[in-house]
Amino acid sequence: MTVAQSQIGLISSAPPSRVQKRAAFVTAVVLLVVFFSALPFAHVRLGRLDVFLPIFATILFLTDLISATLLYAHFAILRSWSLRLLAGGYLFCALTIIPYALTFPGAFAPNGLLHAGLQTSPWLFTIWQMALPTTIIVYSTARNLPSQRMVRSSVATVVAVDACIVAALVCAVTWFLTAHEDMVPPLIVTVTDTAAFVKFVSAFMLMVSIAALVSIWLSQRSVLDMWLLIVALAWLLSSILLNLVDVRFDVAWYANRILAVASDSLVLLVLLAESTMLYARLAMSVLARQREREGQLISINAVSAAMAHEIRQPLTAIAANARAGLNWIRRAPPNLERAQRAYEHIISDTGRVGEVIQSVREMFAGRERQRTLVDANDIIRETIALARGELEDGNVVVELDLSEPIPTVPGHRGQIRQVLLNLVSNAIEAMRHVSGRRRVLRIRSEPDEHNGVALSVEDNGIGVAPENMGQIFDVFFTTRSDGMGIGLAVCRSIVEAHGGKLYIARTGSHGSVFRVALPGSIDPDAEASPAPIRTQDMR
């Protein structure tokens, strides 16, 4: 459970990082600098500022209350008794500061509110001053128990019960110190002058602060523990100053309150910062998952589109050969030899459908396929034979300019043929509306550098518009009303997986030239089968 909590990044369970340790060290140094700066002037008496106490109490109330709320939020996740006790301690400090401020003479009334006596506010301050270090001691002890059980009650029930108990306790203490002020030893003799007994109380506070510092030092494990250690240090320094107070409103008295505000604010600032970062990490995680789902949906669309695009050609050939076979059988007398040849083509095209489907699946899965040395001229001739029907329907004349002999290149025969078929099909489509000149498809092959080959497919169709040049190979980009925008993306993926390049060598108003360059040796970084088609442009 601790490992899982650590992975979540909660400051109450995660160990401190090096940066956090440095920040804590710098904070401790600053507190010590403030303490030693105030120490020489501890007995210097300053003017009485009645407005100081309400401001001081308001800041403490808000910081302690918000800290308690954030600690209860961590408790809601971890359900540990130690966190519940710590949150309850901060809640007690927040509520105790209210009657302290209300009963302090001069803060809201000359003699204080709630019918308080002279000893009410100093004893409430004493209880508040000892509450936080006592809470740290209880927290450190509780979390080190060998069998600390999780709290099973609902969070709302726990918070409600704790709030009722703490509020009842604060009200009881306030009532007792107000109604029975004469039963407690005097801590002050006038509004500004302290009594002798205050030295014993201050010494006891100092011992409690030292105990809190030692207990959290010995048991610290998490980011929260580290900052509670700094809080205990600040409280110890505050208690030392409290022992130096001779009269109210001297430097030691004001410095004690300022260090109290600083120490109370530390945990709050850390909780807010860490909670904000935790929320940011959570938001980034959610966004990453959404992007992953979007990417998966786009990949699914790309796979289905690629399947539909690539099997269209063999399915068209199957349908054409089926019709031709039926026509040859229906003749009188039937031409069985021609019909048999047509059905043999159907069988061949059926196998090509399976090969295309397998190729597309491997393309998106990124699996490696075995390559052999292939003759590019043979693949060109196979491609022309497979596209014969489309060429005749489009009234396209084919001109071949094949270098003989030509180097063999390592590759997957079916995938290279698939690239050429796509380029030929696109060329036929580009020339479909050409009139007034012959529709010519030129295919060339020639040796390329490093014992490779270069293939070019040239048409004299409508060409590619200049504004479309930068996105012609993007997934789902098409200028055809019935196009899917997947063919050229698939072709480039295949060629790049072979270590080659596919690009437009030339385009204009009278046609385009697509060039395929295949290396003569396999690039070690490109040995895998075609990488998954990049779909990030669609997001």
Side-chain angles (χ1 to χ4, degrees):
M1 178 176 165
T2 304
V3 175
Q5 293 162 3
S6 233
Q7 290 173 347
I8 295 174
L10 297 175
I11 67 169
S12 52
S13 57
S17 65
R18 183 175 299 179
V19 175
Q20 291 167 331
K21 289 180 180 179
R22 288 176 181 172
F25 176 76
V26 170
T27 305
V29 171
V30 171
L31 289 173
L32 290 171
V33 169
V34 172
F35 170 75
F36 285 109
S37 299
L39 202 57
F41 309 98
H43 299 294
V44 176
R45 191 162 185 171
L46 301 176
R48 176 175 174 175
L49 294 175
D50 289 334
V51 73
F52 174 81
L53 204 288
I55 295 173
F56 160 76
T58 302
I59 295 174
L60 284 181
F61 171 73
L62 292 176
T63 54
D64 285 344
L65 184 63
I66 297 173
S67 298
T69 303
L70 294 174
L71 287 170
Y72 273 119
H74 281 258
F75 162 78
I77 300 173
L78 303 181
R79 299 300 186 94
S80 71
W81 274 100
S82 56
L83 272 178
R84 180 181 180 179
L85 293 170
L86 184 62
Y90 267 91
L91 181 60
F92 179 83
C93 291
L95 297 184
T96 304
I97 205 69
I98 296 175
Y100 166 66
L102 293 177
T103 59
F104 193 90
F108 296 97
N111 297 318
L113 300 175
L114 306 179
H115 302 288
L118 189 61
Q119 307 303 323
T120 303
S121 63
W123 273 106
L124 283 172
F125 176 79
T126 300
I127 293 171
W128 173 84
Q129 181 81 17
M130 288 193 295
L132 189 54
T134 304
T135 299
I136 292 175
I137 295 172
V138 173
Y139 165 79
S140 303
T141 305
R143 71 170 309 180
N144 289 325
L145 292 177
S147 57
Q148 183 186 165
R149 295 182 179 179
M150 295 178 63
V151 181
R152 300 297 180 184
S153 304
S154 68
V155 177
T157 301
V158 168
V159 174
V161 170
D162 289 358
C164 290
I165 293 174
V166 170
L169 183 60
V170 171
C171 289
V173 170
T174 304
W175 169 80
F176 178 81
L177 293 176
T178 303
H180 303 283
E181 178 204 9
D182 56 334
M183 297 178 62
V184 295
L187 296 180
I188 58 175
V189 292
T190 65
V191 174
T192 57
D193 297 322
T194 61
F197 187 74
V198 77
K199 296 299 182 181
F200 297 98
V201 175
S202 299
F204 182 74
M205 288 183 188
L206 182 61
M207 288 188 291
V208 173
S209 298
I210 293 173
L213 182 67
V214 173
S215 64
I216 194 65
W217 173 276
L218 296 177
S219 64
Q220 61 168 327
R221 296 195 297 266
S222 65
V223 178
L224 180 60
D225 297 343
M226 180 185 68
W227 285 104
L228 285 176
L229 177 65
I230 304 301
V231 170
L233 173 64
W235 223 253
L236 175 61
L237 300 178
S238 174
S239 299
I240 294 173
L241 288 172
L242 195 61
N243 277 267
L244 299 177
V245 173
D246 289 330
V247 294
R248 281 180 172 177
F249 311 113
D250 61 4
V251 170
W253 189 87
Y254 280 110
N256 169 269
R257 272 67 179 173
I258 292 172
L259 280 174
V261 170
S263 61
D264 263 25
S265 303
L266 283 176
V267 171
L268 173 60
L269 294 175
V270 172
L271 284 170
L272 287 175
E274 295 294 332
S275 298
T276 302
M277 287 189 287
L278 180 61
Y279 176 79
R281 288 195 294 267
L282 179 62
M284 290 174 64
S285 176
V286 171
L287 289 174
R289 288 189 178 185
Q290 289 178 349
R291 293 192 194 101
E292 183 180 356
R293 292 193 190 101
E294 292 172 0
Q296 289 173 348
L297 290 175
I298 291 174
S299 296
I300 291 171
N301 291 335
V303 170
S304 58
M307 291 281 192
H309 183 277
E310 297 306 315
I311 65 176
R312 180 185 296 176
Q313 292 171 335
L315 287 179
T316 302
I318 288 172
N321 285 317
R323 286 193 297 269
L326 287 174
N327 290 335
W328 291 118
I329 291 176
R330 288 171 180 169
R331 283 196 175 193
N335 191 331
L336 298 180
E337 183 180 352
R338 291 289 186 90
Q340 179 181 353
R341 193 179 305 165
Y343 292 130
E344 287 174 352
H345 287 314
I346 291 176
I347 294 173
S348 175
D349 289 331
T350 302
R352 193 154 62 89
V353 170
E355 184 180 333
V356 166
I357 293 174
Q358 183 66 21
S359 176
V360 171
R361 287 182 60 190
E362 292 175 349
M363 183 186 312
F364 282 88
R367 291 198 298 266
E368 184 177 353
R369 295 198 66 174
Q370 185 178 3
R371 299 180 186 176
T372 59
L373 292 175
V374 296
D375 188 312
N377 288 344
D378 289 345
I379 297 177
I380 291 173
R381 296 186 184 97
E382 292 173 10
T383 303
I384 296 301
L386 292 171
R388 182 67 63 187
E390 286 187 74
L391 292 167
E392 291 177 354
D393 290 343
N395 195 25
V396 175
V397 177
V398 178
E399 295 181 358
L400 297 180
D401 183 9
L402 309 180
S403 297
E404 296 285 359
I406 195 168
T408 56
V409 293
H412 186 271
R413 189 180 196 89
Q415 291 179 349
I416 297 175
R417 184 175 61 227
Q418 187 178 341
V419 171
L420 290 175
L421 269 173
N422 270 295
L423 296 178
V424 168
S425 178
N426 288 345
I428 295 172
E429 184 64 29
M431 294 185 288
R432 192 170 299 279
H433 301 292
V434 169
S435 58
R437 63 178 185 272
R438 285 201 319 160
R439 301 173 182 175
V440 180
L441 173 66
R442 297 182 179 88
I443 302 179
R444 294 186 176 88
S445 69
E446 56 187 345
D448 201 6
E449 58 183 6
H450 305 304
N451 206 31
V453 297
L455 312 178
S456 60
V457 178
E458 179 182 355
D459 64 75
N460 63 343
I462 58 176
V464 179
E467 61 269 19
N468 296 330
M469 289 287 291
Q471 50 189 342
I472 193 68
F473 292 103
D474 289 350
V475 182
F476 301 133
F477 175 80
T478 182
T479 57
R480 293 162 50 178
S481 58
D482 60 341
M484 295 184 178
I486 199 74
L488 287 176
V490 170
C491 291
R492 172 169 277 187
S493 176
I494 292 174
V495 173
E496 288 180 351
H498 282 74
K501 294 181 180 179
L502 170 61
Y503 56 95
I504 302 180
R506 189 182 76 251
T507 186
S509 58
H510 293 292
S512 304
V513 179
F514 284 81
R515 188 176 177 87
V516 178
L518 296 173
S521 59
I522 302 177
D523 186 349
D525 295 329
E527 287 187 357
S529 63
I533 294 177
R534 294 181 292 271
T535 56
Q536 59 266 36
D537 294 327
M538 294 302 299
R539 297 184 184 177

